[in-house]
Amino acid sequence: MVPLVVSRAARAACCALTALVTAVLVGCDTSQPTGRSASPLPKPPAFSGRLSTSAVDLATHSGTWPATQRTLQSALDELVRACLKKKGFGFPADDVEALTPPEDEAAAIDLAGRRKTGYGISVNSTESTENSAELPPVDRYYATLSKPEQRRFDEALAGPPDRRRKVSGTGWGDVLVPEEGCEAEGRRQLAGDGVLWARITYVPEKFGNQLADRVAKEPEYTRVVTTWRSCMKARGHPYEDPDGIRPRLEKEFRTTGPTEAFRKREIAVAVADGECALRAHIPSVSLEVQRGLVTTLTHREQRTLAELAAYRDAAVERARKITATAQSRDRAGSARSP
């Protein structure tokens, strides 16, 4: 069974929505889960057969999704901080990073990053987050705790290991959902139930991944790949499609190792790939095709997506109220400070 808890290495993002679960929940039973809960979210209306814009956004992580995702993350951060404070831990505040909208082609391609590290294949992993000065505030705080306090922190955050709820019928086998701890309590306050919270997050992502796998066969996408291919060939990099580049370079890296020659080649290919992708508008066309494919999901899948999107919309409204209250409290506290 896969535990629905964060690892120590991921603790820096322990309150972020996408870092709370290590498995993808699947299945199409969208009834409100039972179990320990806060106020349950309102039950969605019956599926009309037409998906809302927020449902399409949710499946493709585009449109309004990046902004509302940040809202959910910020609210969950606030809830977990308040909970841990009651348990004696000064959980440090950390700004929730804004998510890059996939509609922003320049940001999606990130030419500046490609010019620096290519695809990141030959980057020395020891130069990443080993430097304590580069660690997020949460990890730095955790490192200051004694071993007994770290164990107490772990349990306060994720609850005791034997307090997990088994969820079956998933694409990753059985999944264990924490029933206690500040993470679980925060999820319940936002979604009414930890299992529903996880399904809101990962079932639509599963659908989105299925659709993304189909994009490459759609005529609109193959046309822009033809443009991209011609551009790459003119630059001396005769690859068939963008998805084939990284596997070939990784295979080459396993043979050559982290040589300077490989690093330069990796960067050159990555930059050319990015520039040709921008010229052909691969990111925007890919997203447009994927969004269009959402309506090709089965009726049952669309109904599931619609209901989970409605649940998520309600959770976002709760999150907005939580963050607004926290901001008002912080402003009041600042006004009282000498």
Side-chain angles (χ1 to χ4, degrees), residues 266-328:
E266 177 192 356
I267 290 175
V269 173
V271 171
D273 173 24
E275 291 176 344
C276 290
L278 284 172
R279 178 178 175 182
H281 296 292
I282 282 183
S284 61
V285 172
S286 176
L287 177 60
E288 182 181 354
V289 171
Q290 187 186 21
R291 288 180 65 90
L293 287 172
V294 175
T295 57
T296 68
L297 292 168
T298 67
H299 180 82
R300 189 179 184 186
E301 289 170 335
Q302 289 190 54
R303 184 184 65 208
T304 298
L305 178 60
E307 293 184 4
L308 291 177
Y311 277 132
R312 185 178 183 274
D313 289 345
V316 168
E317 287 305 309
R318 287 186 178 183
R320 287 183 176 129
K321 293 177 182 178
I322 289 168
T323 53
T325 299
Q327 290 168 358
S328 297

Side-chain angles (χ1 to χ4, degrees), residues 229-251:
R229 189 183 301 121
S230 298
C231 177
M232 288 291 284
K233 185 176 181 181
R235 293 167 183 249
H237 306 295
Y239 291 93
E240 286 300 308
D241 60 73
D243 293 336
I245 295 179
R246 189 179 183 104
R248 285 178 57 180
L249 286 177
E250 288 175 339
K251 182 178 180 180

Side-chain angles (χ1 to χ4, degrees), residues 4-7 10 12-24 58 61 65-66 68-70 72-74 76-77 96-97 99 183 187 197-198 200-202 205 312:
L4 190 68
V5 294
V6 289
S7 66
C14 69
C15 302
L17 188 63
T18 54
L20 289 173
V21 185
T22 59
V24 179
L58 178 56
H61 286 185
W65 184 87
T68 54
Q69 182 76 351
R70 190 181 189 190
L72 285 168
Q73 290 175 352
S74 297
L76 190 55
D77 277 354
V96 176
E97 184 178 355
L99 300 172
E183 288 178 344
R187 297 171 197 155
W197 169 270
I200 288 171
T201 308
Y202 289 97
E205 182 177 90
R312 185 178 183 274

